[in-house]
Amino acid sequence: DQQVKQNSPSLSVQEGRISILNCDYTNSMFDYFLWYKKYPAEGPTFLISISSIKDKNEDGRFTVFLNKSAKHLSLHIVPSQPGDSAVYFCAAKDAGGTSYGKLTFGQGTILTVHP
Amino acid sequence: DGGITQSPKYLFRKEGQNVTLSCEQNLNHDAMYWYRQDPGQGLRLIYYSQIVNDFQKGDIAEGYSVSREKKESFPLTVTSAQKNPTAFYLCASSWTSGILDEQFFGPGTRLTVL
């Protein structure tokens, strides 16, 4: 069963506009969430994270929003730039039990930013 | 220049052969991980190690084996028992396996079994 889901396989946005990438999760034990960016044939790089005690975290052009009641988070990129074109993975961590440190990933969303 | 190296970048093997993927880190991290990525899917955890000489199975450990004899090295062996080994393999490390510790990823190895 897919505990972290990114239902949009791809997103296309014009340069300068906002990109919104969405992620849903089902495991209520998740309490730390991360976004990773990945270029083809490279490893993912960490982008931004949010703890479950917050509902928003901002870092430059990137903002992550968390809605715990809806089990939903989103990544906003404003303004979008062509260099942002990549695959974006949502990931979640569960602090409890024996699974601490383990990242559960979504399927990824391919973002294309057109000049 | 700290980081994680994986070699080789591309690897081809015949069906039925075991193959070992290398992962080395010079970040002095205690925890190391192996993930597998398939098209249209997220990364799935194969094995992880919180400390030297210790490792645990992840979600899809069947057909794989690992060792952690040195802090900086965490090789993954894909055995002939792995039914569908062709995939992109990613190694990662973090200071500890704690919840706030960011995982850093290597560049990956694409394994193709012919």
Side-chain angles (χ1 to χ4, degrees), chain A:
Chain A
D1 68 357
Q2 191 80 25
Q3 296 186 63
V4 178
K5 293 182 184 179
Q6 294 175 254
N7 291 317
S8 297
S10 62
L11 175 67
S12 185
V13 169
Q14 205 67 31
E15 181 178 7
R17 307 294 288 267
I18 184 171
S19 295
I20 300 176
L21 296 101
N22 294 303
C23 178
D24 296 296
Y25 62 95
T26 56
N27 188 342
S28 56
M29 296 300 293
F30 288 147
D31 50 9
Y32 194 67
F33 304 90
L34 306 91
W35 284 94
Y36 279 83
K37 176 179 177 180
K38 184 181 180 299
Y39 293 115
E42 293 184 11
T45 54
F46 170 75
L47 200 53
I48 193 168
S49 63
I50 188 166
S51 164
S52 60
I53 62 173
K54 293 187 172 183
D55 55 17
K56 177 183 172 181
N57 188 26
E58 205 170 338
D59 184 3
R61 297 186 297 114
F62 302 91
T63 303
V64 56
F65 296 91
L66 175 62
N67 182 334
K68 278 191 72 177
S69 60
K71 293 192 177 70
H72 176 85
L73 63 154
S74 61
L75 174 68
H76 292 211
I77 306 173
V78 183
S80 302
Q81 299 173 354
D84 295 329
S85 298
V87 180
Y88 289 78
F89 288 100
C90 169
K93 281 190 183 184
D94 165 11
T98 59
S99 61
Y100 53 89
K102 171 188 165 182
L103 284 171
T104 300
F105 284 85
Q107 308 96 308
T109 296
I110 301 170
L111 173 65
T112 304
V113 180
H114 299 283

Side-chain angles (χ1 to χ4, degrees), chain B residues 10 13 18 30 32 54 60 66 79-80 88 90:
Chain B
Y10 300 95
R13 278 294 182 268
N18 290 358
D30 279 325
M32 296 187 75
D54 180 68
I60 54 166
V66 293
T79 75
S80 56
F88 189 52
L90 286 156

